[in-house]
Amino acid sequence: MDLLRWLFDAQITFPGGQFILFREVIGNAFGLLSAFAGMRRRVWAWPVGIAGNLLLLTVFLGAVFGSPNPVNLLGQACRQAMFLIAAIYGWSQWRATKIAHGEAVAPDWASWRTRLALVLTWAAGVAVLTPVFRALGSYEPVWADAYIFMGSLLATYGMAKGWVEFWLIWVAVDVVGVPLLWSAGYFASAFMYVFYGAFTLVGFFVWWRIRHRRDRVDTLST
């Protein structure tokens, strides 16, 4: 119990009264480790991500959990809850594929119809969720919070399906996420989003090369 209380209260302070919650740092570290494992197509990416999501859920519902930062980012909080559900789906998908085929996922391109559906779903989700998050008191600009939530949902689903494009969705999320999190005072998460942006670009090219090599093998075998 003392360790749990320490985890909730511990913070890194800076001159001028600025601070970063230690659990925000740990949660983002778990997220980064999960992304690395995802790039390597390791099944354990999903349970590691779940651990980070649980920690960050308590961070972004600051007022609910008594955090020193009272700003609630409902889109970010709902994003963590969504991750928990999506991670269970992704975990089961990758585990079943690994058992059946010896590898957790075989990267593939989404069809053009799927890409269009992703864009339209993203736009519709932002339009629907923005007034909902605003009514619940989320931090402005609320559309950015809704944008990050929807993008994260689609990227996680794309990862579970093995679409190469899911990495680019993360890049688009990071572009909006960095200024939003910084302005709300979640500096550790904002910094990690900058790092994620570069990391997800690397992940995209890693998966693209894997898919390209498979195409070459298929061509040579025909």
Side-chain angles (χ1 to χ4, degrees):
M1 183 62 68
D2 289 341
L3 177 61
L4 185 62
R5 186 70 265 169
W6 172 84
L7 179 61
F8 263 71
D9 294 339
Q11 54 186 272
I12 303 170
T13 58
F14 300 94
Q18 300 292 344
F19 64 89
I20 297 175
L21 292 174
F22 195 54
R23 54 194 153 100
E24 184 181 357
V25 176
I26 297 175
N28 279 292
F30 273 106
L32 179 59
L33 182 59
S34 176
F36 175 77
M39 183 176 69
R40 303 285 296 176
R41 297 181 294 154
R42 300 292 189 264
V43 176
W44 56 266
W46 298 101
V48 169
I50 288 174
N53 300 146
L54 288 171
L55 279 173
L56 291 175
L57 178 63
T58 69
V59 171
F60 292 121
L61 287 179
V64 175
F65 286 91
S67 297
N69 189 342
V71 174
N72 286 333
L73 285 178
L74 298 181
Q76 291 290 319
C78 291
R79 176 175 177 255
Q80 305 307 319
M82 174 273 297
F83 277 150
L84 297 176
I85 299 172
I88 294 172
Y89 169 75
W91 191 358
S92 64
Q93 287 285 103
W94 282 30
R95 186 172 181 274
T97 302
K98 185 174 180 59
I99 293 173
H101 303 288
E103 60 178 1
V105 61
D108 201 359
W109 296 105
S111 67
W112 280 105
R113 178 177 294 182
T114 299
R115 293 171 182 172
L116 178 60
L118 289 172
V119 172
L120 293 178
T121 301
W122 199 343
V126 172
V128 170
L129 291 177
T130 297
V132 174
F133 287 167
R134 180 172 288 117
L136 292 173
S138 191
Y139 186 76
E140 294 285 351
V142 180
W143 70 265
D145 209 10
Y147 171 95
I148 293 170
F149 173 80
M150 284 302 303
S152 301
L153 172 62
L154 296 174
T156 306
Y157 179 72
M159 178 180 172
K161 300 295 287 186
W163 294 330
V164 178
E165 293 89 343
F166 94 87
W167 293 103
L168 297 181
I169 297 177
W170 279 128
V171 173
V173 168
D174 294 337
V175 168
V176 173
V178 171
L180 176 68
L181 291 167
W182 188 269
S183 65
Y186 292 107
F187 304 116
S189 294
F191 175 78
M192 290 304 297
Y193 266 46
V194 173
F195 191 82
Y196 284 151
F199 186 86
T200 51
L201 279 176
V202 173
F204 169 76
F205 286 110
V206 168
W207 275 37
W208 176 82
R209 283 198 299 270
I210 293 171
R211 176 59 188 166
H212 182 64
R213 284 199 300 266
R214 201 172 75 194
D215 287 340
R216 291 178 60 187
V217 171
D218 292 341
T219 300
L220 292 174
S221 63
T222 56

